[in-house]
Amino acid sequence: MSGLRARAGAVVAAVSAAVLLLAGCTQASIEVPEPAAPDVGIQLFQLPWTSVAKECETTLAPAGIAWVLLSPAQEHIAADEWWASYQPVSYQLESRLGTRDEFADMVQRCNAAGVEVIADAVINHMTGQDEPGAGYAGTAYAHYDYPGLYTESDFHRCGLTANDDIQLYKNREQVQNCELVNLADLDTASPTVRATIGAYLEDLLSLGVSGFRIDAAKHIPATDVEAIVSQLPQGTRIMSEVIRGAGEPIAPEEYEGFGEVFEFTYARELTPPLENGVFSDPVLSDDRPQQVPSEAAIVFVDNHDTERGEANVTARDPQLYIIANALMLADDYGTPVLYSGYAFSDRDSGAPTDADGRVLDASCADTTGPVSDLADGERTCVQSWPAIRGMLEFRAMAGDAPRMPGVDSGDAYGFEREGRGVVAVNVGDDIQSIEVPTTMPDGAYCDVITGGPDAAGDGGCAGSEYSVSGGIAVFDLDPGAAAAIHLGSRR
Ligand code: LM2
Ligand code: CA
């Protein structure tokens, strides 16, 4: 709870600074409501614990980001690729991302800064390597060694080959109780396996984490996930990763009863109009087919898998990425999770490491972005982009105000969060003017995507300025531009 207050405090400070700018201004004063603490998370992909701790303190808390999603903390195979993290060999918290002590210190510091920590729990499987070897911490693979962890009967061996594509299996049994990409599948129905996984999750909770992403949840029967997480303390946040697929036998809805689920449909519906400029599509309208209820949905523009796969809009195209994230953060559906990764040319390349294979520290504290020509391994640092920070402020001001119907004009599109703020984007190649109906008071507003109210405190805007008059917000947008105004950004 103190975390929530700290977050709200940071956002209130930013907005009341904006309100102070109104002093001495001739416009009629308006009542600016207290911004809410938005429940927005961020995935810091393959970032070491020591860096995550600093990021919580220096960028996430000031931006009003509520929680951070980590990469897996388990001991894993010794391999250079990032996906070594998804081949655990034991439940020790020793990995390329840091030691147990570093993990504990990070969680404590993030919590103290008002940022909750969500761990990525890889509990469906262990390594797929056929031969035992040294794990990251130098131990032999626990499941070959059987140091009280498992017996062979605790694994499902379905005899699938490395080239078998799990997507082709339409049978529930095969999807959930067979090797996923040749990874040794745990028998999550077994009481000993459940107890071992439960003890691992309890261990993380004892260090202060607030909840878990359940990796590959689609490949664990929902009843098994439920049985494991129902043993955890009330209020533990559970986010099941169940990739929705047409014709798939397992759907996210099965996992909704005991937590949240990542809703992959959201990005799939959000981004095509941005690439095509066709907003008549139902995608951004109120009609959202195939999606779990808003309270259960974790939404995202991309994540570490989709930026290497299906996502067409990623940080590699900063303009479109800002537009997509702006629309997601302005929306009233789901709980958004931002994605902060690193540039790569090879989808397998891990984050830069030292000679011991330990991922190097990185900081976004002194950066602004976006930077469009990052070298491989450089961090995207979306949490420091002024456009993203402006939209987090927008979301805090929007609170639970309903989203009004969208309007489009040529390749531009916009909508209001009733009485609180208006967002508009132009995905075309020409300057586009768009008028968005609003109940916000008449006046001049600073766009928070290009900088918001001027830090100099002279009543001007750091970036663009737009006006509201007679119930209409008017935006003249350059190609690829996004704009957002809210009650706290009025000049
Ligand atoms: C996930 N969610 O359900 C993770 O988000 C995703 O990143 C993981 O795949 C996957 N499930 C398993 O946890 C990644 C990566 C794969 C990689 C696996 C295991 O995308 O490429 O598979 O981790 O490390 C790799 C090889 C694959 C091989 C497998 C087993 O790419 O060719 O399969 O290891 O050796 C023979
Ligand atoms: Ca399984």
Side-chain angles (χ1 to χ4, degrees):
M1 272 297 101
S2 63
L4 272 180
R5 273 199 300 277
R7 284 201 299 280
V11 178
V12 170
V15 175
S16 49
V19 173
L20 281 179
L21 296 173
L22 294 172
C25 159
T26 53
Q27 286 176 357
S29 67
I30 51 167
E31 209 162 295
V32 179
E34 284 243 329
D39 182 30
V40 175
I42 187 165
Q43 178 183 2
L44 298 183
F45 178 59
Q46 291 289 311
L47 194 68
W49 313 142
T50 45
S51 302
V52 172
K54 284 193 202 120
E55 225 46 45
C56 283
E57 294 165 346
T58 59
T59 63
L60 307 188
I65 291 175
W67 48 275
V68 55
L69 170 60
L70 310 171
S71 285
Q74 284 161 265
E75 187 194 6
H76 52 75
I77 57 165
D80 294 338
E81 294 83 359
W82 62 266
W83 43 252
S85 293
Y86 290 93
Q87 295 200 37
V89 302
S90 81
Y91 294 99
Q92 289 189 64
L93 302 181
E94 304 289 337
S95 74
R96 60 171 54 186
L97 299 176
T99 64
R100 181 182 180 88
D101 286 349
E102 287 167 339
F103 186 92
D105 180 65
M106 172 272 294
V107 180
Q108 192 265 321
R109 285 167 61 188
C110 286
N111 286 345
V115 180
E116 295 186 342
V117 177
I118 305 294
D120 193 351
V122 184
I123 59 174
N124 170 64
H125 54 263
M126 297 190 84
T127 180
Q129 287 193 9
D130 288 338
E131 297 300 327
Y136 185 82
T139 62
Y141 295 171
H143 71 270
Y144 288 99
D145 260 7
Y146 313 126
L149 266 178
Y150 300 112
T151 65
E152 186 65 16
S153 65
D154 289 325
F155 290 90
H156 293 122
R157 306 275 176 192
C158 302
L160 300 180
T161 70
N163 294 327
D164 285 336
D165 180 353
I166 203 80
Q167 303 292 340
L168 298 176
Y169 305 135
K170 298 306 177 201
N171 167 319
R172 300 178 65 85
E173 184 61 20
Q174 281 184 324
V175 171
Q176 301 195 309
N177 294 333
C178 279
E179 299 97 325
L180 161 66
V181 290
N182 245 28
L183 301 165
D185 193 66
L186 283 161
D187 178 7
T188 43
S190 142
T192 47
V193 169
R194 285 182 181 178
T196 305
I197 293 170
Y200 168 59
L201 302 182
E202 290 278 6
D203 184 33
L204 289 165
L205 288 171
S206 78
L207 300 179
V209 311
S210 298
F212 305 100
R213 167 187 185 266
I214 306 295
D215 178 66
K218 190 203 288 180
H219 304 283
I220 311 173
T223 47
D224 292 356
V225 179
E226 187 168 18
I228 293 164
V229 304
S230 65
Q231 303 300 313
L232 303 174
Q234 282 282 317
T236 303
R237 212 159 161 183
I238 301 299
M239 305 176 181
S240 295
E241 189 235 12
V242 185
I243 304 176
R244 198 189 283 282
E248 285 268 344
I250 321 289
E253 281 72 10
E254 296 178 33
Y255 297 76
E256 215 181 273
F258 49 85
E260 296 157 277
V261 296
F262 288 86
E263 180 50 88
F264 280 70
T265 310
Y266 189 79
R268 291 173 188 161
E269 292 188 345
L270 175 70
T271 54
L274 308 184
E275 298 167 87
N276 309 329
V278 182
F279 288 106
S280 49
D281 187 291
V283 171
L284 283 156
S285 79
D286 302 328
D287 179 18
R288 296 181 163 108
Q290 279 213 318
Q291 294 187 358
V292 296
S294 182
E295 323 75 77
I298 304 281
V299 296
F300 51 90
V301 173
D302 61 341
N303 65 28
H304 71 283
D305 289 321
T306 66
E307 78 161 343
R308 289 169 173 75
E310 70 177 64
N312 293 324
V313 176
T314 69
R316 288 187 285 271
D317 182 349
Q319 273 191 335
L320 266 189
Y321 200 56
I322 286 173
I323 288 175
N325 276 285
L327 292 172
M328 174 177 74
L329 290 167
D331 201 352
D332 65 355
Y333 174 82
T335 299
V337 57
L338 302 170
Y339 175 67
S340 188
Y342 56 83
F344 60 90
S345 342
D346 175 351
R347 66 91 66 188
D348 295 327
S349 297
T353 59
D354 65 15
D356 300 329
R358 200 188 145 109
V359 175
L360 297 175
D361 274 312
S363 168
C364 295
D366 299 316
T367 67
T368 51
V371 176
S372 44
D373 51 355
L374 291 174
D376 284 1
E378 283 190 288
R379 305 273 168 178
T380 59
C381 287
V382 295
Q383 63 268 39
S384 292
W385 296 8
I388 299 291
R389 295 177 79 115
M391 283 311 300
L392 287 162
E393 200 186 280
F394 176 103
R395 190 175 182 89
M397 183 54 74
D400 54 13
R403 195 186 76 167
M404 305 308 283
V407 294
D408 61 284
S409 165
D411 289 331
Y413 174 84
F415 62 85
E416 179 191 28
R417 291 295 297 274
E418 193 173 22
R420 295 299 185 92
V422 179
V423 64
V425 302
N426 175 13
V427 298
D429 297 328
D430 304 308
I431 293 178
Q432 184 72 49
S433 183
I434 180 168
E435 299 188 351
V436 184
T438 177
T439 58
M440 297 211 317
D442 284 4
Y445 291 81
C446 298
D447 163 38
V448 295
I449 290 187
T450 50
D454 201 329
D458 58 6
C461 298
S464 308
E465 180 184 315
Y466 299 102
S467 67
V468 170
S469 175
I472 302 283
V474 184
F475 299 90
D476 292 302
L477 298 173
D478 285 338
I485 59 174
H486 62 75
L487 284 184
S489 79
R490 191 162 174 258
R491 287 189 40 193

